[in-house]
């Protein structure tokens, strides 16, 4: 949540204050657990707003935010600037600039639950000033709804199928002018699984290229996808004609 607050404030300083800014929280597909998480997040954000409005007991949060900015955001932005030209020109931000915007940024942040039972909606089209929203949900968020300006993802839901995991990678995509502000908080297993799938997808693209250059059809050329000790490429029903091969 602190990371998302910083992202919103810095995007405001970069002239992107009127653009949408979203955070995704996806821990489970069960609605009752989502309701519990929604209450926790809403209470925390409301508490932060109260502390900053009244200037009471807010200095510890300010210190945490500054520490996160110095240890994470500054270094990451510099590293990404070296690789991505579009971030250049945005790195003159100081902590004093961010601190001035913190209360206004917090006031704009809304916490919503997005699932089949919830009455909340992500009304991006109706928001002229840009929606700043923390969206908590299940399947609807994990692989259905588009989250505009997704900056921060807190994602714990795992699947053991390549294709389902790829659908759930909502943090993939083009982030013009704020790529360096995007953060993904997840488990070590999910990081390893997504790395493996990325390699497998790259290999499969190379297989397609080779098949095309060889002027062969899929019937003549057996396309292969790298396996994994835990994950499955797709459901067994879709793999009924597939065969396992061991290659060095």
């Amino acid at each position: 949540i602190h990371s998302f607050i910083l992202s919103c404030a810095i995007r405001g300083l970069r002239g992107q204050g009127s653009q949408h800014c979203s955070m995704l929280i996806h821990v489970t597909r069960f609605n009752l657990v989502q309701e519990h998480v929604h209450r926790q997040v809403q209470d925390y954000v409301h508490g932060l707003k109260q502390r900053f409005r009244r200037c009471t007991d807010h200095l510890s949060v300010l210190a945490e935010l500054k520490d996160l900015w110095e240890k994470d955001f500054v270094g990451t932005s510099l590293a990404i600037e070296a690789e991505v030209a579009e971030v250049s020109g945005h790195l003159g931000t100081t902590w004093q600039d961010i601190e001035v915007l913190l209360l206004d940024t917090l006031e704009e942040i809304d916490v919503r639950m997005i699932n089949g039972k919830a009455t909340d909606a992500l009304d991006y089209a109706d928001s002229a000033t840009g929606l700043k929203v923390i969206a908590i949900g299940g399947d609807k968020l994990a692989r259905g709804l588009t989250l505009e300006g997704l900056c921060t993802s807190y994602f714990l839901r795992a699947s053991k199928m390549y294709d389902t995991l790829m659908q759930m990678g909502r943090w993939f995509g083009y982030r013009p002018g704020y790529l360096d502000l995007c953060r993904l908080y997840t488990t070590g297993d999910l990081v390893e699984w997504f790395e493996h799938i990325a390699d497998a997808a790259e290999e499969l693209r190379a297989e397609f290229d080779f098949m095309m250059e060889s002027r062969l059809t899929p019937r003549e050329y057996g396309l292969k996808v790298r396996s994994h000790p835990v994950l499955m490429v797709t459901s067994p029903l879709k793999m009924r004609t597939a065969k396992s091969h061991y290659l060095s």
Side-chain angles (χ1 to χ4, degrees):
I1 292 168
H2 289 184
S3 174
F4 180 61
I5 294 165
L6 288 174
S7 295
C8 291
I10 297 168
R11 287 191 70 192
L13 291 167
R14 292 180 182 181
Q16 298 181 352
S18 60
Q19 294 181 27
H20 303 304
C21 223
S22 304
M23 175 177 177
L24 161 68
I25 297 179
H26 179 62
V27 293
T28 176
R29 65 187 179 84
F30 299 113
N31 289 346
L32 284 174
V33 184
Q34 290 165 30
E35 287 169 17
H36 183 66
V37 174
H38 177 259
R39 278 195 301 273
Q40 286 182 312
V41 175
Q42 204 165 37
D43 290 348
Y44 185 72
V45 172
H46 179 70
L48 285 181
K49 288 179 182 179
Q50 295 283 69
R51 286 159 77 175
F52 274 85
R53 278 179 204 144
R54 298 169 182 168
C55 292
T56 54
D57 195 28
H58 69 299
L59 294 177
S60 60
V61 181
L62 265 180
E64 282 182 46
L65 286 165
K66 185 180 181 182
D67 190 55
L68 179 62
W69 180 73
E70 288 175 344
K71 290 183 177 174
D72 181 356
F73 280 77
V74 175
T76 303
S77 294
L78 286 170
I80 289 183
E81 186 198 24
E83 296 181 31
V84 184
E86 68 181 25
V87 178
S88 299
H90 291 309
L91 301 184
T93 306
T94 65
W95 172 249
Q96 287 71 25
D97 297 331
I98 296 169
E99 194 176 338
V100 168
L101 278 185
L102 283 177
L103 178 57
D104 289 340
T105 301
L106 267 168
E107 294 288 8
E108 290 183 314
I109 292 174
D110 201 7
V111 182
R112 300 188 188 181
M113 190 166 70
I114 311 296
N115 59 33
K117 293 175 75 177
T119 54
D120 288 346
L122 291 174
D123 47 350
Y124 290 114
D126 300 333
S127 177
T129 56
L131 208 59
K132 310 287 185 290
V133 64
I134 298 175
I136 297 149
D139 287 335
K140 198 170 175 180
L141 274 191
R143 46 184 175 155
L145 207 63
T146 298
L147 290 155
E148 301 283 349
L150 181 62
C151 293
T152 313
S153 299
Y154 183 90
F155 201 94
L156 301 184
R157 171 94 173 273
S159 168
K160 292 194 174 177
M161 285 187 257
Y162 287 24
D163 48 357
T164 306
L165 272 178
M166 286 294 266
Q167 281 179 306
M168 295 200 302
R170 311 310 303 281
W171 46 89
F172 300 150
Y174 186 54
R175 310 275 185 250
Y178 64 99
L179 179 67
D180 58 313
L181 305 178
C182 296
R183 296 292 181 274
L184 166 62
Y185 297 90
T186 187
T187 65
D189 280 346
L190 271 171
V191 171
E192 190 268 315
W193 291 358
F194 271 106
E195 283 177 352
H196 177 86
I197 293 169
D199 288 341
E202 201 63 38
E203 279 184 8
L204 186 58
R205 285 193 192 95
E207 289 267 305
F208 277 118
D209 290 342
F210 184 79
M211 183 177 73
M212 190 180 74
E213 286 162 13
S214 307
R215 297 182 181 278
L216 298 169
T217 67
R219 191 179 292 279
E220 299 164 316
Y221 181 87
L223 289 159
K224 57 186 183 291
V225 182
R226 192 198 296 193
S227 63
H228 186 273
V230 176
L231 303 173
M232 293 187 293
V233 175
T234 186
S235 68
L237 192 66
K238 295 175 191 168
M239 290 202 297
R240 60 185 179 274
T241 57
K243 294 175 184 174
S244 295
H245 287 277
Y246 294 89
L247 305 170
S248 69

